[in-house]
Amino acid sequence: MAIQRPPGPKGNFVVGSLRDFGANPPGFLQQLAQTYGSMVYFRLAHLHTYLLADSDYVREVLVTQADKFEKAALDRQILGKFLGNGLLTSEGAFHARQRRLAQPAFHMKRIRTYAEVMVGYTDHLLAEWQDGQTRDVADDMMRLTMQIVSKTLFDADAVTEAEDTAVSVGRAIHDLQAVSNGDYRRGFVLPNWLPTAGNRKRKRAIAHYSQTIERIIGERRATAVNGQIQDNGDLLSMLMLSQDEDGGFMNDRQLRDEVATLFAAGHETTSNALSWTWYLLSQNPAAEAKLHTELDAVLNGRTPTLDDLPHLPYTLQVIKEAMRLYPPAWILNGRAPLTEVEIGGYTIPKGSMIFIAPYVMHRLPHYFPNPDQFLPERWTPEMEKGLPKYAYIPFGGGPRVCIGNSFAMMEAQLILATMAQRYRLRLVAGTTVQPEALITMSPAGGLPMTVEAREPRQREWEDTELPELVVV
C-alpha cells in the first residue's frame, strides 16, 4: 500500500513554508532535498507541494506518467498573460499539434545555417570592447542573444534593425518578467481590472510586445507571392510554412504566441548560461587556461565555424558544467496531477503541486561527486553514459523537452569560442555575485567584469590540474 505523504518541514500553521521559500527559493529546495531525501512534502500557503529529487521520480512525471499531469494553473495564468497559448503553456492535443508544426524550424539542417549569424553578431559586440574596459557582461550577453534571436527568428537584415527589434521587445519582456515574478512570490494573480502599478506595467508591455510581433507577421504575409509565403531562411518562415497532417497552417494568433514564446525563451536562457560561464571561468583560472589552450590549438586565432565544434570538446564541457551549477531554467513549470498518482511508493493527490528543480538535481552528490566544484572535466563520454538520463535536465525532458536545445547549445559554444580566444574577463574587485532566481536564474545586479585582451597562441596541449576545491 502506498504511503500517503513523504517527510518534510512542518512550516507555519497559516502559510506553511511560504516565507522560507520566498526568501531563497533554490537554496530552500536544495536544503529540503539534503534534509529529507528524494521526495519532500511541504506547504506553500494553500498549495500542497511535493519536491522530487530523484531521476526515476522525474522520469515518472516527465515521461512515464506524463499524461497524468498538466502544467500548474498558476504557471499557466502568469505565463499565459504574455506568452498566450504557446508551447510553454499549452496542453494536450493542441500542444502536440503546435509541437509538430514548430519542429521543422529546429531541424539540425536548418539551425546549422545560423552559425555564421551567431559568430557575426558576436564579432560586432567585440568591436565595442577595449582592453582594460569594465563592462556589465550580463547585459552584453543579453543584448547579444537578443540580436541573434531577432535575426534568426525574424530575419532582421542588419545589425541596427536586429538591435532595435531586440531592445524594443527585450524591454517589454523585462517588464513582464518583473511583474510575473511578483505574481509568483504572491502565489496568485491579481485580476486584470485592478488598477495596480504591476497591472498597468504588464498591460503596456503586452501591448508593445504583441504589436511588434504582429507587425512582423503582417509584413511577412504582405510579401507572399500568389498567397505563398516565401522562405526567408528564418524560423518565422518555417512556422508559417509548416502544415499539419490535415493541411492546416498556424493562424496569426497561434503564430504570435509561438513567436512570443520563442523570443522570450530563446535569448534569456542562453544569455544567462553564458553569463554564469564567464563568472565561473573568472573564478577558476586553471579551467580558463585549459579552455584557451584548446581554442588556440584548434582555431589558431581564426573565427570559429560550425565545423570546428566537434574539435572543441572542452569548450562544450565548460558550458555543460556551468549549466549544471547554474541552470538558467532553475525550476521547471510546476506539474499538477489530473488524478491521484503514485510515485516512489507515495500517493500524490489530485490538486497538489509537483516541483522539479534542475538546480537541486544538478547538485545531488550521488549523481555529481563534489557537486559544488566547477569541474568541466567531469563531462567525459563515460560519465555521461553512466549518468541517469533525468539527473541532468537543463532543458527539461520528455515530450516537452525544450524544442530549441540544439540551437541554444550551438549558440553558446560558438559565442564562447569566439570571445574566449580574444579576451579574458575578470570580476571587478569587491564584487559579490549572487544568483537571482526569478523565472530564470541570472546574476543579481548584473556582472561587472574587466576586459583583458589576449593573443591566441598555437601550442601543444597542456594538461593542467584544477584547484582542489572551488565553492560556488
Side-chain angles (χ1 to χ4, degrees):
M1 176 180 285
I3 302 172
Q4 292 299 311
R5 184 172 287 175
K10 184 176 180 181
N12 178 271
F13 178 75
V14 177
V15 299
S17 299
L18 187 62
R19 290 175 184 149
D20 292 333
F21 177 74
N24 179 9
F28 172 71
L29 295 181
Q30 186 181 14
Q31 185 62 43
L32 289 184
Q34 291 173 347
T35 303
Y36 298 103
S38 57
M39 187 182 299
V40 186
Y41 167 81
F42 59 104
R43 187 168 54 85
L44 299 177
H46 63 289
L47 289 175
H48 296 274
T49 311
Y50 297 77
L51 172 68
L52 306 187
D54 179 274
S55 63
D56 289 336
Y57 298 170
V58 172
R59 179 193 292 271
E60 287 289 320
V61 175
L62 298 184
V63 183
T64 310
Q65 301 190 66
D67 59 337
K68 297 180 182 178
F69 297 91
E70 65 178 2
K71 291 289 182 74
L74 182 63
D75 286 324
R76 287 186 279 114
Q77 290 170 7
I78 294 174
L79 298 176
K81 281 181 176 286
F82 64 97
L83 299 181
N85 203 28
L87 287 176
L88 194 60
T89 53
S90 59
E91 291 286 353
F94 181 81
H95 175 270
R97 176 185 183 270
Q98 290 299 99
R99 179 95 184 191
R100 287 194 301 270
L101 287 172
Q103 194 67 59
F106 291 92
H107 192 282
M108 195 60 200
K109 288 182 180 178
R110 186 78 176 191
I111 66 174
R112 285 177 63 90
T113 64
Y114 303 140
E116 290 185 13
V117 170
M118 295 167 178
V119 173
Y121 280 102
T122 306
D123 282 336
H124 176 73
L125 170 65
L126 295 183
E128 302 176 10
W129 287 19
Q130 298 177 12
D131 189 26
Q133 183 182 37
T134 297
R135 301 185 66 94
D136 183 346
V137 172
D139 183 69
D140 276 347
M141 295 303 98
M142 187 71 73
R143 185 158 55 97
L144 172 59
T145 57
M146 281 196 295
Q147 290 173 3
I148 290 171
V149 79
S150 295
K151 174 63 178 178
T152 56
L153 184 55
F154 304 132
D155 191 32
D157 58 9
V159 169
T160 53
E161 183 184 347
E163 184 160 4
D164 289 345
T165 302
V167 170
S168 174
V169 177
R171 285 174 180 161
I173 291 174
H174 177 79
D175 288 345
L176 288 166
Q177 281 224 53
V179 178
S180 297
N181 286 317
D183 292 335
Y184 275 115
R185 294 297 173 92
R186 191 187 307 112
F188 60 90
V189 181
L190 295 173
N192 288 335
W193 52 264
L194 277 178
T196 65
N199 274 346
R200 289 194 295 269
K201 178 183 283 190
R202 175 159 34 210
K203 185 176 180 179
R204 288 192 301 269
I206 289 174
H208 179 71
Y209 194 31
S210 297
Q211 287 168 8
T212 301
I213 293 172
E214 288 163 6
R215 173 183 57 79
I216 291 168
I217 292 172
E219 289 173 352
R220 187 62 57 85
R221 290 212 184 277
T223 64
V225 178
N226 297 323
Q228 179 66 36
I229 297 295
Q230 302 302 296
D231 188 351
N232 290 8
D234 59 2
L235 297 173
L236 178 58
S237 297
M238 289 296 293
L239 292 175
M240 298 179 80
L241 288 167
S242 186
Q243 293 178 269
D244 62 22
E245 57 272 17
D246 298 323
F249 297 89
M250 290 190 205
N251 61 36
D252 281 2
R253 178 63 190 185
Q254 292 163 356
L255 282 169
R256 180 265 174 211
D257 292 349
E258 298 305 350
V259 169
T261 299
L262 293 175
F263 192 99
H267 80 278
E268 184 144 5
T269 51
T270 307
S271 68
N272 286 335
L274 286 164
S275 296
W276 288 118
T277 300
W278 291 119
Y279 165 68
L280 289 164
L281 287 171
S282 75
Q283 302 304 294
N284 293 269
E288 181 190 56
K290 196 167 184 177
L291 172 67
H292 290 156
T293 299
E294 176 178 89
L295 294 174
D296 293 348
V298 174
L299 301 177
N300 197 23
R302 62 175 173 77
T303 301
T305 68
L306 186 65
D307 291 336
D308 291 315
L309 296 190
H311 307 292
L312 297 172
Y314 193 73
T315 307
L316 181 59
Q317 288 174 296
V318 165
I319 295 166
K320 286 182 176 180
E321 182 71 344
M323 293 181 70
R324 182 187 69 81
L325 284 166
Y326 296 107
W330 71 275
I331 188 169
L332 306 186
N333 291 131
R335 270 26 180 217
L338 296 167
T339 184
E340 186 178 276
V341 177
E342 182 179 335
I343 296 177
Y346 293 105
T347 298
I348 301 178
K350 178 181 178 180
S352 55
M353 170 93 78
I354 289 182
F355 279 176
I356 297 171
Y359 183 88
V360 174
M361 295 296 298
H362 295 179
R363 290 171 181 253
L364 293 174
H366 51 283
Y367 297 137
F368 303 98
N370 302 315
D372 290 334
Q373 285 186 262
F374 178 66
L375 289 171
E377 286 78 2
R378 76 170 78 236
W379 292 98
T380 64
E382 295 74 23
M383 174 271 198
E384 293 199 56
K385 185 177 180 180
L387 187 67
K389 186 172 183 181
Y390 293 91
Y392 182 69
I393 47 173
F395 296 103
R400 299 194 71 121
V401 68
C402 175
I403 198 170
N405 55 1
S406 296
F407 179 104
M409 290 304 292
M410 181 178 79
E411 180 182 15
Q413 200 175 358
L414 284 169
I415 291 173
L416 179 60
T418 302
M419 295 176 64
Q421 71 164 332
R422 293 166 59 182
Y423 290 99
R424 294 183 180 88
L425 296 176
R426 293 289 175 261
L427 194 66
V428 171
T431 300
T432 299
V433 177
Q434 295 291 336
E436 185 174 28
L438 304 177
I439 294 177
T440 58
M441 179 174 281
S442 59
L447 192 59
M449 305 190 84
T450 302
V451 173
E452 293 183 2
R454 65 176 296 270
E455 288 295 327
R457 290 183 293 169
Q458 178 72 46
R459 57 186 178 185
E460 295 299 318
W461 181 267
E462 295 175 1
D463 189 15
T464 308
E465 289 187 6
L466 289 175
E468 196 167 299
L469 176 66
V470 179
V471 178
V472 295

